[in-house]
Amino acid sequence: MTERYNRQMIMPEIGEVGQQRLLKSHVVVVGAGGLGSPVLTYLVNAGIGKITVFEMDTVSVSNLQRQFLYTTHQVGENKATCAAEFLKARNPEVDIVVHNQRFENSEEIRSLVAQADVVVDCSDNYQTRYLINDLCTDYGKPMVYGAINALSGQVAVLCHPNGHATYRTLFPEPPSGGANKAVIGPTPGVIGAMQALQTIMLLVNNDSVLVDKLCDVDLKTMNTSVFEL
C-alpha cells in the first residue's frame, strides 16, 4: 500500500481493508465532461483499481469553463485520449481504459457492465441514461446518477441490488423540452464530487446513504433536500 492513500486510510470509514477493496474494484464512467471531470479525478486519486471511460467528443473552447480534464492547447483533440493522459499523470497505479465511442447496447458494453462494480452516469442525454439504467438493472449493478442545471443539481444511487428505485422511477418518460445547457463551472464540480464520494462508499462497504434517495442541491440558496424514491 503506497503513501498516496494514507490520508483516506486513517479514516474509519475506509481503513486498510476498504483501500484494498478500492484497489481491486472496477468502475465504468459514462462521460468525461463537466461531471466526468471531477468524478474521474477523485476516483483516480482514491486508487480505484480499474476505470473504464466512455467519451466520443472532442475538446471545444466552450468545454474549458468547467471540464478541467482538458487544456486550451488540446482544443480539437479527442476527449478520451486527453482524459487518459491527465488521469494517468495523476495516478499511474490505476488501470484506465478509454473507449472513444458512444455508450450503446452492444455485447461488448453489456459485458463491461456485467464485470463492473459500479457504473457512474456522467452523461448529458436521456437516451444514454435510460440505457445505463436498463443495463444496470439487468446485471444488478449500482448506478450513481448525477445531473446539473445552471446552479442546481441532483445525485442518487439507483438500481442497487438491495434497493428498488431506478432512473425510470424518477423519469418514466423523458422530460419535455430537452436538456438545459446553462451551467457555471462549480456546479458540476460539486455534483461530480458527490457522485465520486457515493461511488467510493459503495465500493468500500456496498452501501450508500443515497440508495433509493434523491439529493437535490440548490447552489444559489445552498439548500439541500433528500427525497425518498
Side-chain angles (χ1 to χ4, degrees), residues 150-165:
L151 283 166
S152 64
Q154 299 178 332
V155 182
V157 175
L158 308 170
C159 309
H160 194 281
N162 298 327
H164 64 269

Side-chain angles (χ1 to χ4, degrees), residues 68-129:
F68 55 77
L69 291 177
Y70 316 110
T71 61
T72 302
H73 80 270
Q74 292 173 324
V75 169
E77 296 183 18
N78 174 258
K79 280 187 180 180
T81 302
C82 295
E85 180 182 339
F86 175 91
L87 297 169
K88 288 176 180 176
R90 294 289 309 172
N91 190 351
E93 298 176 4
V94 175
D95 180 15
I96 300 166
V97 180
V98 294
H99 293 261
N100 178 24
Q101 65 180 89
R102 189 180 302 278
F103 188 84
E104 298 176 321
N105 191 3
S106 66
E107 287 301 319
E108 177 189 22
I109 290 176
R110 294 184 72 89
S111 177
L112 283 170
V113 172
Q115 296 169 27
D117 297 297
V118 178
V119 179
V120 187
D121 168 32
C122 299
S123 64
D124 60 0
N125 67 85
Y126 298 117
Q127 180 181 0
T128 301
R129 286 177 182 153

Side-chain angles (χ1 to χ4, degrees), residues 192-213:
M194 293 174 67
Q195 286 182 278
L197 181 59
Q198 295 309 306
T199 301
I200 291 169
M201 292 297 99
L202 286 167
L203 295 170
V204 168
N205 57 27
N206 196 36
D207 200 8
S208 162
V209 296
L210 289 183
V211 172
D212 292 345
K213 296 177 182 178

Side-chain angles (χ1 to χ4, degrees), residues 3-63:
E3 182 182 354
R4 182 185 297 270
Y5 312 114
N6 282 351
R7 293 299 181 94
Q8 63 194 45
M9 288 173 58
I10 62 177
M11 296 172 55
E13 294 86 352
I14 296 182
E16 186 170 344
V17 172
Q19 188 62 50
Q20 288 288 356
R21 290 174 179 166
L22 295 179
L23 293 168
K24 295 177 181 178
S25 63
H26 177 202
V27 177
V28 172
V29 178
V30 183
L35 289 172
S37 291
V39 165
L40 287 165
T41 301
Y42 281 120
L43 293 183
V44 162
N45 290 352
I48 305 305
K50 180 178 180 180
I51 301 177
T52 299
V53 186
F54 284 87
E55 178 58 69
M56 64 175 294
D57 287 343
T58 57
V59 180
S60 68
V61 172
S62 65
N63 298 149

